[in-house]
Amino acid sequence: MAQVKIYALQDFLDGNREAISEAIHTALMSELKLPEHKRFHRFIGLSEQDFVYPSDRSAQYIILEFNIFEGRSVVAKKCLIHAVFNNLQQQLGIDPNDVEITLIESPKQNWGIRGKCADELTLDYKVEL
């Protein structure tokens, strides 16, 4: 499971939402082995007055928060981060300086999904990578 929050200027998101989602999910599928149908992305578009960022960032500045089950190795998490940077740069031309990524991990028992705690579910993908 990966719940992704995408923060950026509303104007930037308006023309790039689908491509950003695809770049992120492609990285999640390749690096964390998530299935295609496990896409959970929330776009939070902000006005210029509500999105304050350093002057060395551009109007393409984007912050990504990934809430994931714990259990992935350091290598798997680093590979995901690098894949997201790479995909956003190659597919949308977003400079890596304009991307910030945070992975937030929590135990499966802390997630409620489909009426159960996630540690009680049978998943169609592996978490321990």
Side-chain angles (χ1 to χ4, degrees):
M1 173 68 88
Q3 294 274 346
V4 185
K5 293 179 191 172
I6 300 115
Y7 300 90
L9 289 171
Q10 184 65 54
D11 290 343
F12 177 65
L13 290 179
D14 286 343
N16 295 291
R17 188 174 278 105
E18 288 181 30
I20 292 168
S21 180
E22 190 60 31
I24 291 168
H25 200 61
T26 298
L28 284 165
M29 289 188 304
S30 68
E31 305 308 324
L32 297 191
K33 310 304 181 208
L34 291 186
E36 170 64 35
H37 67 280
K38 294 292 183 186
R39 187 182 302 230
F40 301 97
H41 300 169
R42 291 171 290 191
F43 289 86
I44 300 141
L46 301 163
S47 67
E48 288 186 32
Q49 67 215 32
D50 291 328
F51 196 41
V52 178
Y53 51 86
S55 61
D56 66 341
R57 305 306 196 276
S58 78
Q60 292 184 326
Y61 179 60
I62 186 170
I63 297 172
L64 306 173
E65 291 180 0
F66 292 75
N67 287 292
I68 60 174
F69 294 153
E70 67 181 3
R72 274 79 176 208
S73 69
V74 170
V75 170
K77 292 182 282 188
K78 285 185 172 193
C79 286
L80 171 64
I81 289 169
H82 290 295
V84 171
F85 281 133
N86 186 58
N87 290 356
L88 289 172
Q89 185 172 35
Q90 288 188 352
Q91 296 170 25
L92 288 107
I94 301 173
D95 188 288
N97 190 57
D98 279 331
V99 180
E100 293 191 19
I101 300 167
T102 304
L103 301 181
I104 303 162
E105 297 179 283
S106 60
K108 286 189 272 183
Q109 69 266 18
N110 290 0
W111 292 62
I113 303 169
R114 298 188 309 264
K116 297 181 180 182
C117 291
D119 64 340
E120 299 168 356
L121 295 172
T122 301
L123 302 174
D124 58 353
Y125 58 94
K126 189 174 176 150
V127 173
E128 293 76 20
L129 299 172

